[in-house]
Amino acid sequence: MSFDWKKYLELAKKLAADQGDEASLRSAVSRAYYCVFHLAMMKARSNDFRPKDDAGTHDQLWTLYGRNADALCPKISNIGARLKRRRVKADYYSNINKLQDEVADALLDADECIAMIATLPRELPVDVPRSWSVH
């Protein structure tokens, strides 16, 4: 039985409820991001997306969504990249201004992104090749 990645968002919301504990708030941001990342990756893999290598897997995923023309895919890409930036701050920065706001925004972004992923047509995202032009 495979893990239900939405459980990470449930955990994030529980952690966020403990407003006085900075470690819980930081962990909430991280869990919200990883919920979205794994759901987006599962959707992409179902359409034969394979990251080129292990380095930069997260950026490759958000770039994939951004290259798709469907209206939702670039939105998913933007939210995913924004959540990743928040997750990096939560995991690596010693000081975060307005951490509670970051948590609230991360949870809202995660809910929105999960809803968009769920409504994508089955065939999306497509691993659209990059186009290069020579001038």
Side-chain angles (χ1 to χ4, degrees), residues 50-71:
R50 300 292 176 263
K52 305 301 181 244
D53 55 42
D54 288 336
T57 301
H58 295 247
D59 292 334
Q60 290 178 53
L61 178 67
W62 304 128
T63 298
L64 165 74
Y65 277 90
R67 288 195 317 258
N68 276 254
D70 180 85

Side-chain angles (χ1 to χ4, degrees), residues 68-100:
N68 276 254
D70 180 85
L72 287 180
C73 285
K75 290 178 183 177
I76 292 168
S77 173
N78 289 335
I79 293 172
R82 186 168 60 231
L83 279 166
K84 181 182 176 228
R85 286 190 299 274
R86 284 193 183 105
R87 196 268 310 162
V88 168
K89 281 198 316 190
D91 287 348
Y92 297 107
Y93 289 36
S94 296
N95 297 306
I96 302 174
N97 293 328
K98 300 180 182 180
L99 178 57
Q100 290 181 347

Side-chain angles (χ1 to χ4, degrees), residues 20-62:
D21 178 9
E22 185 174 352
S24 293
L25 294 174
R26 287 171 175 264
S27 295
V29 172
S30 185
R31 295 304 88 194
Y33 171 72
Y34 278 109
C35 170
V36 170
F37 170 77
H38 285 292
L39 292 175
M41 182 62 83
M42 285 175 45
K43 182 77 168 105
R45 285 187 186 275
S46 74
N47 291 311
D48 298 322
F49 170 69
R50 300 292 176 263
K52 305 301 181 244
D53 55 42
D54 288 336
T57 301
H58 295 247
D59 292 334
Q60 290 178 53
L61 178 67
W62 304 128

